[in-house]
Amino acid sequence: MNRILPTRVLLLSCILVSCLNPGTLLAEGAAGTPTSETPDVPRDGQHDFDFNIGTWKTHIRRLLHPLAGSNDWVELDGIVTVRKFLGGRAQLEEIEADGSTGHFEGLTLFLYNALAHQWGQYFANSAVGILNPPAIGEFKNGRGEFFDQETFNDRAILVRMVWSDITPDSHHLEQSFSADGGRTWEANFIATLTRETETGKKSEISSRQPSEMPDGAHDFDFNFGVWKTHITRLQHPLTDSNSWVDYDGTSDVSKIWNGKASLFELEATGPAGHIEGVGLRLYNPKSHQWSLNWASSRDGVIGKPMVGEFLDGQGQFYDQEDFQGRTILDRNGFSDIKPDSSRFEQAFSDDGGKNWETNWIMTFTR
């Protein structure tokens, strides 16, 4: 849980999950014979956030005017719910809180990068519907420290998130800003969380009902649920190739923020290997557009978002990215939408959108 304060393709083409084994420690030589110095093997931290799973009461203190010499704090109380997926290598945390400054609703997507042995925390506020850059870090000796660089009041600053005082039924989170490269830090967001012990208790804080939500916020409602998923993928895009491979698997799409966001979990297997990943879709109530954010379980890193909207029952989403050393356009499309089926296509263009080559097709059936 983080950032009340202000503060990145659905590139599904061929992200294959592989099992990466840490380097094997060098065996000791014969007795009395010195061996080469063994390099440090990074600790496997994929379970470091297991303590966070569950439902929590949270008390928040927030500094209204950071980096301004202010001591004007406000307090909020709310509920935090956290669930894991991708075998524990990812978590979704949802928060709702109320205080004297009003109602707050947000989420944090936690993703473990098995290559770097680090976690990324990606925060979004429902009032904006944009995923912030991640705070990246790890746990050492029961304390987690996560950092990123952001712009605040038109200046570049450092942001630090610290998880501490971790017990089975409580923990502490503190966000701080630094305007001097990390020499000094000012805390501006402090949360104390205690486990909710009443089984099945609902949050006392009510979200806006779906009927009160802005136009476009229901566009992905058709996609909620569990789907059989067939994937056809072009192996070598933008090379005039016609070599396709097939995968079959399951997609699970769950509702967040009464539908203003959704979590898309994909797992599929085929002759070319295994695909596993997660997509987070966020509705921006100001632009009336959606952003589609995707990460493979292999590296746990969110790429650039695809941004777009639905018109006449079809969704079109675009971004610009690098592919094989060249800048291209990427398009995601949702079509043939029915109660029990739909279709997704990804296409690339290397001529500014004049021509498009489809390289990824998914068909969903209930």
Side-chain angles (χ1 to χ4, degrees):
M1 176 186 66
N2 55 356
R3 313 266 213 312
I4 287 183
L5 299 167
T7 14
R8 100 182 175 134
V9 289
L10 188 60
L11 176 57
L12 291 172
S13 58
C14 191
I15 303 176
L16 303 180
V17 177
S18 59
C19 297
L20 302 177
N21 297 318
T24 305
L25 296 176
L26 297 174
E28 291 187 1
T33 303
T35 62
S36 301
E37 184 177 345
T38 302
D40 290 336
V41 177
R43 185 181 65 85
D44 183 0
Q46 65 178 302
H47 293 293
D48 283 344
F49 269 109
D50 283 4
F51 72 88
N52 198 32
I53 298 167
T55 302
W56 306 84
K57 296 178 181 178
T58 182
H59 179 73
I60 299 167
R61 297 181 64 238
R62 180 171 70 86
L63 185 63
L64 282 177
H65 307 292
L67 301 179
S70 170
N71 194 34
D72 190 5
W73 292 79
V74 295
E75 299 189 5
L76 303 92
D77 289 285
I79 296 292
V80 174
T81 58
V82 186
R83 68 179 181 91
K84 68 179 180 178
F85 52 99
L86 295 183
R89 302 185 303 280
Q91 291 184 5
L92 179 70
E93 178 187 87
E94 299 177 65
I95 174 176
E96 286 194 74
D98 277 308
S100 60
T101 54
H103 183 69
F104 169 68
E105 183 180 47
L107 64 79
T108 303
L109 180 63
F110 298 81
L111 293 172
Y112 183 67
N113 185 333
L115 305 179
H117 297 265
Q118 292 179 308
W119 282 88
Q121 298 180 210
Y122 299 81
F123 176 77
N125 187 325
S126 67
V128 180
I130 296 175
L131 201 62
N132 288 339
I136 305 293
E138 60 190 316
F139 282 80
K140 292 182 179 179
N141 301 318
R143 174 185 168 96
E145 291 195 351
F146 300 79
F147 300 87
D148 78 298
Q149 185 181 52
E150 300 184 11
T151 300
F152 180 73
N153 287 344
D154 299 322
R155 293 178 57 84
I157 64 164
L158 296 181
V159 179
R160 181 182 68 186
M161 310 294 299
V162 176
W163 299 79
S164 63
D165 301 334
I166 298 168
T167 74
D169 294 317
S170 64
H171 56 272
H172 184 87
L173 173 65
E174 183 173 297
Q175 174 181 271
S176 302
F177 287 174
S178 174
D180 58 11
R183 289 188 293 275
T184 61
W185 294 91
E186 179 189 70
N188 55 59
F189 180 95
I190 301 171
T192 302
L193 296 100
T194 55
R195 190 174 295 280
E196 175 57 73
T197 57
E198 296 183 37
T199 304
K201 181 175 180 178
K202 301 291 185 180
S203 168
E204 296 177 359
I205 302 169
S206 298
S207 300
R208 285 193 301 169
Q209 295 303 309
S211 60
E212 301 173 313
M213 292 195 297
D215 292 341
H218 291 291
D219 284 342
F220 270 108
D221 284 7
F222 73 91
N223 206 212
F224 296 144
V226 179
W227 304 82
K228 294 179 181 178
T229 306
H230 180 75
I231 301 169
T232 305
R233 179 178 64 83
L234 184 63
Q235 287 188 294
H236 308 291
L238 300 180
T239 62
D240 294 323
S241 169
N242 196 34
S243 178
W244 294 77
V245 292
D246 294 309
Y247 304 81
D248 285 287
T250 302
S251 301
D252 190 347
V253 183
S254 53
K255 181 189 297 188
I256 307 170
W257 297 342
N258 281 329
K260 299 184 301 251
S262 63
L263 187 72
F264 168 71
E265 300 174 62
L266 172 67
E267 187 168 8
T269 301
H274 187 69
I275 299 172
E276 186 180 32
V278 59
L280 181 63
R281 296 132 172 202
L282 299 170
Y283 181 70
N284 184 331
K286 296 181 179 180
S287 68
H288 299 273
Q289 292 180 308
W290 286 84
S291 63
L292 313 184
N293 305 272
W294 168 260
S296 164
S297 66
R298 180 179 181 271
D299 61 12
V301 175
I302 293 281
K304 291 177 60 178
M306 311 288 294
V307 179
E309 60 191 322
F310 282 80
L311 295 171
D312 300 322
Q314 296 194 34
Q316 296 288 314
F317 305 85
Y318 300 87
D319 86 325
Q320 184 183 61
E321 57 191 71
D322 293 328
F323 180 74
Q324 296 182 346
R326 290 175 55 84
T327 299
I328 66 165
L329 296 180
D330 186 3
R331 181 182 69 193
N332 287 183
F334 292 84
S335 61
D336 299 338
I337 298 170
K338 302 173 183 177
D340 295 318
S341 64
S342 62
R343 177 184 176 91
F344 168 91
E345 286 193 18
Q346 175 178 270
F348 289 171
S349 173
D350 60 0
D351 60 6
K354 296 182 182 69
N355 298 283
W356 293 90
E357 178 189 72
T358 299
N359 56 60
W360 184 286
I361 302 169
M362 287 194 293
T363 55
F364 302 97
T365 56
R366 288 204 189 274

